[in-house]
Amino acid sequence: MVNNTRRDFLKQTALGTAAFLAYPPALVLGANDRVRVGMIGVGNRGQDLLDEVKAVPNVQVVAIADVYRGRFDEAKKVAPGILTFDDHRRLLDLKDVDAVIVASPLHTHARHFLDTLAAGKDLYAEKTMTWSIPEAEQCLAAARQSGRVVQIGLQWESSGALADARQWIKDGVVGKITQVESWMSRNTPHGQGQWVRPVPADCTAQNVNWSAFLNGRQDRPFDPFRLINWRLFWEFSGGNVTENMVHQIAWIMSALELPLPTAAYMSGGVFSEKDGREVPDTIAVTLDFPNDLVVTWQSTFSNRHYGLGEHILGSDGTIEHGWTGSDMVNGEEGESIRYYTEKVNRPRGAALVGKTKDQDHMGNWIDCVRTRKTPNASTEIGYRSAIAVHMANLAYRRRQRITLEEAKAIAPEF
Ligand SMILES: NC(=O)c1ccc[n+]([C@@H]2O[C@H](COP(=O)([O-])OP(=O)(O)OC[C@H]3O[C@@H](n4cnc5c(N)ncnc54)[C@H](O)[C@@H]3O)[C@@H](O)[C@H]2O)c1
């Protein structure tokens, strides 16, 4: 790994200036005013979010920007009449866009985050908030300074299960928590790699703004496989810790009100998906937190028996949250959250079942655009969860324990 400094990294990526911009005054919308939305990145997730935002009352999707023009027709089927651009800056120039949803690949998140705030728009930014730690710091500073309403696409922050877990911990029925274990597991048919997507026939050099996709990464001839399968490569992705662990660590950090980890360890490798990908498919992460707490997260792509979930282990009780054999994003199978008493310390404690309903994460963002309140998944939790997952990846890539201070001093490698 190249031993650059953070300062060099900020210079290379030209993100250093955006945090010091003078931001336009905050939007003032009435409770009944229509919110006009633009979207940057309208691929797989972006099209789900387009459906979600269209379902929120009194919202109009005005425009989309995507480097791959094949997305335009797909989006127009859902939102006829929208404007389309292959450069996100043209969308941000539009005066009649109040708020922007970003669902682009990870290595472009910081660019789209900072540019959206600089254009004076509110923001819904997909997770992980950024590709690197220096970018996370830039985005946190910009969000604080800009006064914009920012929701991170960590939709578990709007879950009823989080409200239940917080309440039980606050009520003291869990006791002292020294350990949290968490995991997510997936599987695919033999010969079919997890995450691998076919390249559509119209995904050609003529149809793609390739330099905008590269976003400062080393220039090279058009490579449609990397455009479509960016998740498999470190220069665009952070692998499964930025794709999935981030949801669970954010949920755990919010439930337990955790600060940043003090150190990270991560082992694993490309053990099951030997298809040329760089990011590991088999992972064991350990995060140390202040005040006597260890959080672990495991993941595999070749066995889905235990689905995904978290166990919060306390001296007086256990919180068990999860989905069995399912996908947390789609929630295909039943989610549950339960509390079990530790009879040695709470002999008369009763078992509990969480019943709080989920909030609409997208609806919460649109409400906050009108009220200027802080959304459920603020930039602060976006930042803390981003730092945690990037610490894990740095530990993996360096094959060593990484402290918070070390992680903050390392410039990421493209
Ligand atoms: N919150 C969730 O549950 C959830 C679920 C899935 C994906 N995601 C996140 O959503 C994001 C997108 O994932 P995806 O699976 O939709 O990827 P995708 O590749 O299907 O979609 C990304 C889109 O962005 C476009 N794009 C690439 N570079 C761009 C640029 N510079 N400007 C504008 N558009 C650009 C691509 O052409 C593509 O259409 C990722 O950050 C991913 O982690 C979140």
Side-chain angles (χ1 to χ4, degrees):
M1 186 168 282
V2 184
N3 205 13
N4 289 341
T5 63
R6 271 177 82 247
R7 197 181 294 270
D8 292 337
F9 174 76
L10 294 177
K11 256 191 261 158
Q12 282 161 19
T13 55
L15 292 176
T17 51
F20 307 105
L21 289 173
Y23 291 94
L27 187 72
V28 183
L29 284 178
N32 299 319
D33 282 343
R34 176 169 294 198
V35 178
R36 296 160 307 175
V37 170
M39 295 190 64
I40 301 175
V42 197
N44 211 272
R45 180 64 178 165
Q47 290 181 31
D48 287 347
L49 295 178
L50 176 57
D51 290 338
E52 283 182 23
V53 77
K54 274 181 56 82
V56 180
N58 218 359
V59 167
Q60 183 188 1
V61 182
V62 175
I64 60 162
D66 196 298
V67 296
Y68 167 31
R69 291 174 209 107
R71 304 295 188 208
F72 296 174
D73 290 340
E74 292 169 14
K76 277 180 173 167
K77 277 185 207 144
V78 184
I82 47 167
L83 300 171
T84 55
F85 303 96
D86 71 0
D87 181 334
H88 74 282
R89 291 169 301 183
R90 301 287 79 77
L91 180 143
L92 294 177
D93 285 343
L94 296 175
K95 295 276 174 290
D96 61 354
V97 168
D98 306 311
V100 172
I101 297 171
V102 170
S104 51
L106 183 63
H107 73 293
T108 60
H109 282 187
R111 162 76 53 223
H112 295 150
F113 191 113
L114 295 171
D115 287 356
T116 298
L117 298 190
K121 324 280 190 202
D122 293 327
L123 171 67
Y124 183 109
E126 260 311 339
K127 50 43 68 170
T128 291
M129 192 170 91
T130 62
W131 177 84
S132 73
I133 291 176
E135 289 173 348
E137 285 172 352
Q138 289 286 296
C139 289
L140 179 66
R144 283 179 176 162
Q145 205 188 326
S146 70
R148 295 304 116 173
V149 168
V150 180
Q151 174 90 296
I152 307 298
L154 292 163
Q155 62 270 24
W156 281 21
E157 295 300 298
S158 293
S159 75
L162 178 59
D164 293 327
R166 274 181 170 146
Q167 191 59 49
W168 293 336
I169 292 168
K170 214 166 111 198
D171 291 346
V173 297
V174 189
K176 180 171 168 67
I177 301 163
T178 51
Q179 192 164 29
V180 178
E181 37 183 58
S182 59
W183 67 95
M184 83 139 270
S185 357
R186 286 184 179 177
N187 204 352
T188 43
H190 291 303
Q192 190 183 310
Q194 179 64 240
W195 286 344
V196 180
R197 296 175 179 169
V199 175
D202 69 347
C203 187
T204 58
Q206 292 67 39
N207 250 346
V208 172
N209 181 347
W210 177 237
S211 66
F213 168 75
L214 285 176
N215 187 39
R217 300 305 192 249
Q218 191 176 18
D219 199 13
R220 74 204 75 174
F222 178 60
D223 181 346
F225 186 82
R226 287 197 178 228
L227 173 75
I228 299 296
N229 291 291
W230 56 268
R231 261 186 190 75
L232 311 183
F233 304 101
W234 287 120
E235 61 184 330
F236 311 122
S237 170
N240 207 21
V241 303
T242 54
E243 286 304 304
N244 287 301
M245 176 182 157
V246 70
H247 281 294
Q248 292 174 273
I249 195 65
W251 190 89
I252 293 165
M253 289 172 115
S254 290
L256 277 69
E257 296 183 4
L258 298 180
L260 295 174
T262 51
Y265 317 67
M266 172 166 152
S267 57
V270 183
F271 296 164
S272 61
E273 324 291 287
K274 296 193 183 287
D275 53 11
R277 74 182 59 198
E278 294 170 351
V279 298
D281 49 53
T282 307
I283 297 171
V285 172
T286 302
L287 297 176
D288 294 342
F289 284 90
N291 306 320
D292 308 333
L293 176 74
V294 165
V295 177
T296 60
W297 183 81
Q298 289 167 253
S299 113
T300 166
F301 282 170
S302 60
N303 181 296
R304 74 197 293 262
H305 186 71
Y306 290 106
L308 70 92
E310 303 86 30
H311 292 156
I312 299 175
L313 307 175
S315 55
D316 296 7
T318 304
I319 297 175
E320 187 183 86
H321 173 235
W323 282 261
T324 310
S326 91
D327 180 317
M328 81 180 132
V329 171
N330 302 318
E332 292 155 352
E333 291 164 44
E335 179 191 8
S336 71
I337 184 152
R338 291 169 192 273
Y339 166 84
Y340 301 96
T341 191
E342 277 288 291
K343 293 234 180 275
V344 283
N345 289 325
R346 260 190 106 235
R348 282 186 291 282
L352 302 167
V353 180
K355 294 208 166 36
T356 307
K357 290 210 174 356
D358 293 343
Q359 290 179 46
D360 171 3
H361 198 60
M362 183 61 77
N364 168 252
W365 177 58
I366 294 290
D367 278 352
C368 293
V369 167
R370 292 204 179 90
T371 61
R372 313 311 294 168
K373 288 190 180 145
T374 303
N376 292 338
S378 67
T379 317
E380 311 287 325
I381 188 63
Y383 171 80
R384 280 188 285 139
S385 57
I387 300 295
V389 295
H390 292 315
M391 284 175 67
N393 267 342
L394 287 169
Y396 173 77
R397 297 191 72 188
R398 297 192 155 213
R399 296 283 175 194
Q400 67 183 58
R401 172 182 185 265
I402 293 283
T403 65
L404 176 61
E405 292 68 33
E406 286 164 345
K408 286 190 169 194
I410 296 168
E413 196 182 50
F414 289 134

